[in-house]
Amino acid sequence: MDKYEILKKYYGYDEFRDGQEALIDALVSGQDVCGIMPTGAGKSVCYQIPALLSDSVTLVISPLISLMKDQVRALNQMGVHAAYLNSSLTFPQYRKALALAKEGRYRIIYVAPERLLTEEFQDFAANTSIFMVAVDEAHCVSQWGQDFRPSYLKIPDFIAGLPKRPVLGAFTATATREVREDIIRMLSLQNPHLTITGFDRKNLYFEVRHDKDKYRGIRDYLLSHPDSSGIIYCATRKNVEEVCDRLLADGFCATRYHAGLSDDERRANQEAFTYDERPVMVATNAFGMGIDKSNVRFVLHYNMPKNMESYYQEAGRAGRDGAKADCILFYSGQDVITNQFFIEQNRENDELTGQALELVRQRDRERLKKMTFYCHTADCLRDYMLRYFGEYGSNFCGNCSNCLHEFETVDISQIANDMIGCIISSGMRFGVNVILDALRGGKGEKVLRFCFDRNRYYGSQAGQTVVFLRQVLNFLVLNDYLVVTDDQYPIVKVREKGLSFFSESGEFRPVLTMKAAKKAPPAPKPEKTSQKHGSSPQAGSAPFEELRKLRTEIARAEHVPPYIVFSDKTLEAMCVLLPQTKEEMLTVHGVGDLKYQKYGERFLALCKKLSKPDPF
Ligand code: ADP
Ligand code: ZN
């Protein structure tokens, strides 16, 4: 079997996502890799497929017990023999699993980092042919990140002690350069193939709301999305208790999670949420590490988090299955004050004193400010976020509250013409900043040195903000009018399309329009959203509910969470296609051979029934 056949047969997917193939190919050819992909992008496939293509064993090092369990369960469901070794096993269970591993029963073994250097495990590793070691959550090796785990530092010793060096793969969703360099250095990756995929998650809808009564906003949202499962994040335990109590009193099937609850209650509540028994989870940020529930349809923030990193991480838990999901932040000025208070009181790291502590606070205040701007910007929210993480978006995503409500179409013909004119007349040898400065009639050093003040386009767009001119420039680049070179000092040049658009006299131009944020600050948002962004037209329809019922039945009988049987996205596809034959069923996204053998017939029978016209 090749990688495409495995993807289809075991996972039921037709094509690879961004970045997956290159990582798989490198690992298969024996080259180390470092894969940096956002949550939900599909990192596990990148090491599982090479593992399935090899005859030897793959070890996956992961710090998250619940994630390990979930992945192993999913693999076994697909017919792949896999096991995990971590502290959730009793010692006899652990020994048994190792004994089976020694017999060669498992193709993929998930192991917690602190197990690596134990005697039993080393004995196993020394006598087993290991093809690959995949390090999940690889940022835990870096002291720069928030999740540093000293046990990760043992990984290189473990590898060095093996009779033969396996190929190494490191995977994480943390993108900063420091962390990336640390991963490569600390894990001693050799000439690694590096893949960084974009941070954009197109299926997520972003919205900021300024409701006076936040609870009511949340309640109304839940009322209009009755069958969806999701998380409501609050800043404090007290808020969690309050919101959860009110939701329960209003008849919603909610549960709660925060660090003040007993271990048992936390575990039980998480389980109730995972299994869709209590589809609404109200939680502090303590709820997060290791949630691998793929059908989270919404993440609502009752309070604004302290920075964009936290927000994107928490919101990113929505829609991991790739189907549409909502990320809505309910903002109030009080959240800024609460966060400021937390920053000034910060005693998290008592090794920090004096100047160092002040520096950390300074940085935290800065990050809080950026988070607050997010709640007030009239720009595309997605674009704002991507810019924050160092990527360029397209100014207009069409799938955030600002794009849908705060944007207008503006005529940028004159601006584009002046911009192109300025670039041409200065010989296409300057960078973006110089050109924008010249158009605004600025007095920057380069502008004056190169006599832009004598250029006929100098100051021609003096009334515009730099931000807006930059958006126009981005737009022209994205639409092939301009190009920014890839050099050390990038230069803007005019392309064919730009040349033919340009008119020296400024007459007879075709009109060029762009979507741009309205100039006025966003008006207070309406209290209710009537559109159901998070659900597709299928979700909630009668056939969809029938399919869901069958899924729930099977999940109950097999004691697995429903999304392990089929994801929401698969059910939606099934609902649209209503397949009538096995072949048709196998074309549905997420239905592979093995899943078909298990559940195919039952779903097929139901689809046939559903496609019959209603006799009444
Ligand atoms: P990550 O570890 O990067 O957060 P996962 O490996 O858990 O993400 O994958 C997220 C979801 O995407 C899973 O439900 C997975 O089955 C699905 N997925 C992975 N690869 C593909 C693909 N090529 N096509 C469709 N879905 C995919
Ligand atoms: Zn947008």
Side-chain angles (χ1 to χ4, degrees), residues 380-382 396-400 403:
C380 166
L381 294 176
R382 185 181 313 273
F396 178 85
C397 76
N399 191 25
C400 75
C403 282

Side-chain angles (χ1 to χ4, degrees), residues 7 11 13 15-17 20 37-45 71 292 294 320-321 589:
L7 185 72
Y11 298 87
Y13 301 139
E15 48 191 42
F16 284 104
R17 290 205 188 135
Q20 287 180 327
M37 300 160 116
T39 305
K43 288 185 278 295
S44 13
V45 165
Q71 299 250 338
D292 190 27
S294 71
R320 290 188 57 162
D321 53 7
H589 175 93

Side-chain angles (χ1 to χ4, degrees), residues 205 207 220-228 324-326 328 529-537 539-541:
Y205 163 80
E207 176 168 348
D220 289 347
Y221 179 89
L222 295 183
L223 281 175
S224 58
H225 297 76
D227 297 313
S228 305
K324 281 182 180 304
D326 289 346
I328 304 178
T529 40
S530 48
Q531 269 169 292
K532 289 190 180 185
H533 297 286
S535 27
S536 69
S541 67

Side-chain angles (χ1 to χ4, degrees), residues 304-513:
M304 179 184 77
K306 62 179 190 291
N307 54 40
M308 293 295 297
E309 284 88 346
S310 309
Y311 183 61
Y312 201 57
Q313 190 177 43
E314 287 160 15
R317 299 200 169 110
R320 290 188 57 162
D321 53 7
K324 281 182 180 304
D326 289 346
C327 306
I328 304 178
L329 196 165
F330 289 77
Y331 171 85
S332 82
Q334 181 59 40
D335 295 336
V336 183
I337 298 168
T338 313
N339 277 307
Q340 269 163 352
F341 177 79
F342 284 145
I343 291 174
E344 301 315 322
Q345 297 302 309
N346 178 8
R347 296 265 178 277
E348 263 172 39
N349 197 337
D350 48 16
E351 289 162 35
L352 292 179
T353 50
Q355 229 181 344
L357 184 61
E358 188 43 40
L359 249 142
V360 168
R361 285 198 183 134
Q362 193 54 43
R363 200 193 55 194
D364 287 350
R365 283 183 209 119
E366 204 48 48
R367 293 206 270 187
L368 174 59
K369 220 192 276 169
K370 298 252 171 71
M371 181 76 242
T372 313
F373 282 158
Y374 172 80
C375 299
H376 292 287
T377 182
D379 285 351
C380 166
L381 294 176
R382 185 181 313 273
D383 208 56
Y384 182 94
M385 234 171 313
L386 292 176
R387 271 203 311 266
Y388 183 85
F389 292 112
E391 284 182 27
Y392 287 100
S394 57
N395 300 330
F396 178 85
C397 76
N399 191 25
C400 75
S401 53
N402 284 353
C403 282
L404 295 181
H405 304 299
E406 312 296 344
F407 271 59
E408 58 193 355
T409 304
V410 287
D411 181 344
I412 54 162
S413 313
Q414 186 65 49
I415 303 176
N417 201 58
D418 289 355
M419 201 173 273
I420 293 171
C422 183
I423 299 168
I424 296 175
S425 58
S426 57
M428 301 203 206
R429 55 200 177 100
F430 295 97
V432 171
N433 292 335
V434 177
I435 297 294
L436 298 187
D437 198 19
L439 283 171
R440 297 184 68 235
K443 303 219 180 321
E445 190 263 331
K446 279 201 177 157
V447 167
L448 297 182
R449 176 146 52 100
F450 293 100
C451 304
F452 269 96
D453 43 358
R454 273 180 256 145
N455 185 302
R456 69 176 274 206
Y457 297 98
Y458 180 77
S460 60
Q461 294 296 334
Q464 303 292 353
T465 63
V466 186
V467 174
F468 182 66
L469 289 181
R470 192 176 279 276
Q471 283 179 1
V472 174
L473 193 133
N474 273 352
F475 176 86
L476 294 177
V477 170
L478 282 165
N479 288 285
D480 299 328
Y481 290 81
L482 301 178
V483 60
V484 179
T485 63
D486 227 355
D487 309 320
Q488 193 186 357
Y489 301 106
I491 286 170
V492 225
K493 297 191 168 178
V494 181
R495 302 180 68 163
E496 204 46 52
K497 194 166 162 191
L499 290 174
S500 53
F501 170 81
F502 177 65
S503 128
E504 196 136 23
S505 63
E507 282 166 20
F508 307 118
R509 275 189 315 264
V511 172
L512 190 57
T513 61

Side-chain angles (χ1 to χ4, degrees), residues 230-248:
I231 308 172
I232 301 167
Y233 276 111
C234 304
T236 61
R237 295 176 193 181
K238 187 165 150 275
N239 282 349
V240 169
E241 296 290 340
E242 244 171 58
V243 172
C244 188
D245 284 348
R246 290 183 73 176
L247 287 176
L248 290 172

